[in-house]
Amino acid sequence: MLEALVIGLDRNYRGTELEDQLREHGIPIHRVQGVMVDELPGGLDSYVDQAAARVLQRRELTKGEVGCALAHRAAWAALAASGSLFSLVFEDDARLVGKPINDEIMEALQTSHPTIVVLDAYSDYTVISSRQDALARTVFKTLVPPPGAWAYGLNRAAAEVLLEDGRRVSSVTDWPARVAHKIDFYTVYPQLARVDDGVQSTLEETRHLQELGSAESSTSRVIRLAQSIGHIRWVKHWHVYGAYRVYLHHELRRLVINRSSRARGKRWDQSNQRSPLTF
């Protein structure tokens, strides 16, 4: 049976409206407890690999990001342990703007291959192939993982891949860099969910401050990109990537596709800034 896994903290639960929306579509709900890292035994350092994060994310992760990643791991574990082939996963500040499941989404998820269908994403980093037929379709395969983990569907095979690494958190939830290359990612358009701007985020403000504090200068960015292309970063940090395929996917494939598509500025619908890019 299809189930929605909704992640949230009991003390500050924001998902009542989302739950009402899901019930209107006849989708049962299972709450997944959010994670406060300060309340875990051992503290932050027991759950995060900041040295790897500085390589993969180019900055250290916040407590909120680590807690968020651990909560998503709990959702993946719930699916992996269930008898379901796939589930929907929502953070509790997500809101539906359309029916969250349709025949195309179900067809994409009903496979033995690890698959994730993102219901909403940051459009400037969501890229599909221009060779895909956009007529009478709502689900499109992406060329790189679309960043956005607040509303998505995944199958049990994807949950098992996402959990297989088992190491401390080193990437933001969307998506663990060491295993993302093993998963087929899809996006929907038009989007079927959004983040409720009317509720207080438990993550974005501190993430934004962290990103501002660790922002690269133009010179540093050029040097890093040159080192990536020249494989110097692979030589220096191979132990972080773990496999050359991870390095190619995380440092080179995403670099070329994201930068090229944004430079071209080619969206499916030029009048709609939520429309994904093509490449």
Side-chain angles (χ1 to χ4, degrees):
M1 176 185 293
L2 173 65
E3 186 176 52
L5 307 172
V6 180
I7 299 170
L9 292 164
D10 286 342
R11 73 188 66 173
N12 185 30
Y13 190 67
R14 306 166 297 173
T16 302
E17 181 181 343
L18 172 63
E19 290 191 6
D20 290 342
Q21 291 179 315
L22 289 166
R23 290 191 184 99
E24 288 178 3
H25 293 288
I27 299 174
I29 298 148
H30 174 74
R31 287 193 188 181
V32 176
Q33 180 60 34
V35 176
M36 294 292 291
V37 174
D38 284 339
E39 298 176 359
L40 297 176
L44 179 65
D45 291 342
S46 298
Y47 301 94
V48 64
D49 183 348
Q50 296 289 26
R54 286 191 291 270
V55 174
L56 297 170
Q57 303 290 148
R58 299 188 291 281
R59 62 176 177 84
E60 294 190 353
L61 301 181
T62 67
K63 288 181 180 179
E65 287 172 325
V66 175
C68 183
L70 293 174
H72 279 268
R73 286 187 182 184
W76 304 333
L79 171 57
S82 74
S84 300
L85 179 60
F86 56 86
S87 292
L88 301 175
V89 177
F90 297 93
E91 294 179 1
D92 63 354
D93 59 346
R95 302 292 180 261
L96 301 180
V97 294
K99 186 178 180 180
I101 193 77
N102 59 34
D103 290 343
E104 286 189 45
I105 295 174
M106 291 184 66
E107 181 180 354
L109 293 173
Q110 287 176 330
T111 173
S112 60
H113 187 81
T115 301
I116 290 175
V117 179
V118 179
L119 305 184
D120 187 30
Y122 294 111
S123 60
D124 281 345
Y125 297 88
T126 301
V127 185
I128 72 153
S129 170
S130 60
R131 291 188 291 273
Q132 295 187 69
D133 181 9
L135 295 177
R137 291 190 59 192
T138 59
V139 178
F140 302 86
K141 190 171 184 179
T142 64
L143 297 178
V144 290
W150 50 88
Y152 59 95
L154 81 164
N155 60 13
R156 191 163 65 245
E160 291 169 350
V161 165
L162 290 165
L163 291 166
E164 73 179 20
D165 184 68
R167 287 179 280 191
R168 289 178 294 166
V169 176
S170 59
S171 300
V172 293
T173 306
D174 39 17
W175 301 96
R178 289 165 170 151
V179 294
H181 66 284
K182 298 181 180 182
I183 300 170
D184 282 343
F185 286 89
Y186 294 80
T187 189
V188 300
Y189 185 75
Q191 283 79 9
L192 299 177
R194 62 175 176 83
V195 174
D196 188 345
D197 295 329
V199 301
Q200 183 177 2
S201 172
T202 58
L203 182 63
E204 288 303 321
E205 183 176 350
T206 52
R207 173 185 284 184
H208 182 63
L209 292 173
Q210 189 87 333
E211 289 174 342
L212 287 177
S214 60
E216 294 177 301
S217 67
S218 298
T219 301
S220 297
R221 186 180 299 109
V222 169
I223 292 173
R224 176 178 57 79
L225 296 178
Q227 289 181 338
S228 294
I229 295 170
H231 285 60
I232 295 173
R233 288 176 63 82
W234 165 248
V235 173
K236 292 173 61 177
H237 304 298
W238 62 268
H239 58 287
V240 171
Y241 299 102
Y244 183 61
R245 186 177 179 184
V246 176
Y247 177 79
L248 287 178
H249 189 268
H250 186 73
E251 295 291 348
L252 299 181
R253 179 177 171 82
R254 295 197 317 163
L255 168 69
V256 171
I257 290 175
N258 281 331
R259 284 184 171 271
S260 297
S261 59
R262 289 203 302 275
R264 293 168 61 191
K266 185 176 180 182
R267 294 180 181 273
W268 300 357
D269 180 356
Q270 291 286 352
S271 65
N272 184 352
Q273 290 302 298
R274 295 293 292 167
S275 177
L277 294 161
T278 59
F279 178 75

